[in-house]
Amino acid sequence: ASMLEGPGGRRREDWEKLESTGILRTRHDHVALDLWPSRSVMFHGMPLSTNRWGMRDIDYERDKPPGTLRIALLGASVTMGNGVSDGETFEALVENRLNRERPLGSETRFEILNFSVDAHGLAQQIAVLDDRVHEFAPDIVIATNYVNEPDMAERYLWQIAVRGIALPHAEPQDLV
């Protein structure tokens, strides 16, 4: 498949939009957009489900279990797993492999919590980090970048400005 093709070899302009599934929700705060908790939809012919926390992931407890190395993953559509079925995101595959191979010894388990949301650039990832990631007590936070980052940041800041929402950090608020 080329860069212009999506799932099933469809051209980019023919891709199904995640907004059409009802799994995205608009928020009236600095996060602006996230996933509805406890939802399951079909997207590109495959199941796309969220856990009780609104993550495209299995259901984790908020409190980190003893002996667990917890990683929070932030990103956009590719990191969220657009185009693949539940359990087939790269995050799920890496978590399963780490827990199978136990590179830190048999006592350490791994949890990779996928906080990624379609179209979230770095600015929105920081908003999600501030909003809810810390309460899951991750040991490591990974934020990912996408080739369209400048456009995504501009779109996000425009949404915030139009809604009159204040950002929690001074530097981006000055831009708005």
Side-chain angles (χ1 to χ4, degrees):
S2 75
M3 291 286 285
L4 297 176
E5 293 180 354
R10 291 181 298 241
R11 296 195 46 79
R12 174 173 253 164
E13 58 269 11
D14 296 331
W15 287 3
E16 178 182 7
K17 304 282 190 237
L18 190 60
E19 298 87 24
S20 69
T21 67
I23 203 162
L24 289 174
R25 69 176 175 179
T26 300
R27 292 178 43 166
H28 302 287
D29 62 12
H30 65 283
V31 173
L33 181 74
D34 68 0
L35 300 169
W36 281 104
S38 304
R39 293 274 172 106
S40 187
V41 299
M42 294 300 288
F43 185 57
H44 294 296
M46 293 170 269
L48 187 155
S49 303
T50 58
N51 64 21
R52 64 181 155 162
W53 312 110
M55 292 181 242
R56 170 95 197 268
D57 213 330
I58 62 173
D59 199 32
Y60 296 98
E61 294 300 322
R62 185 180 315 245
D63 295 332
K64 182 173 60 173
T68 299
L69 181 81
R70 184 173 269 182
I71 302 167
L73 180 64
L74 297 154
S77 58
V78 172
T79 311
M80 187 183 95
N82 281 10
V84 299
S85 187
D86 291 342
E88 295 178 353
T89 63
F90 82 83
E91 159 274 319
L93 298 175
V94 170
E95 180 181 298
N96 289 337
R97 183 172 180 179
L98 288 169
N99 284 318
R100 185 175 61 250
E101 295 181 5
R102 305 286 184 156
L104 298 179
S106 62
E107 300 301 313
T108 303
R109 285 201 31 82
F110 293 86
E111 291 182 349
I112 304 175
L113 284 63
N114 193 349
F115 290 92
S116 305
V117 177
D118 189 60
H120 270 201
L122 291 172
Q124 268 177 299
Q125 292 174 43
I126 292 168
V128 171
L129 179 68
D130 289 342
D131 182 65
R132 64 180 160 187
V133 170
H134 294 296
E135 64 192 63
F136 287 86
D139 300 292
I140 300 169
V141 175
I142 300 172
T144 63
N145 194 8
Y146 184 64
V147 68
N148 289 343
E149 177 60 37
D151 294 335
M152 293 164 72
E154 183 178 329
R155 184 173 48 246
Y156 166 69
L157 292 173
W158 176 254
Q159 290 172 356
I160 294 299
V162 166
R163 294 181 189 165
I165 297 169
L167 294 169
H169 302 285
E171 295 82 6
Q173 185 62 45
D174 292 342
L175 288 173
V176 172

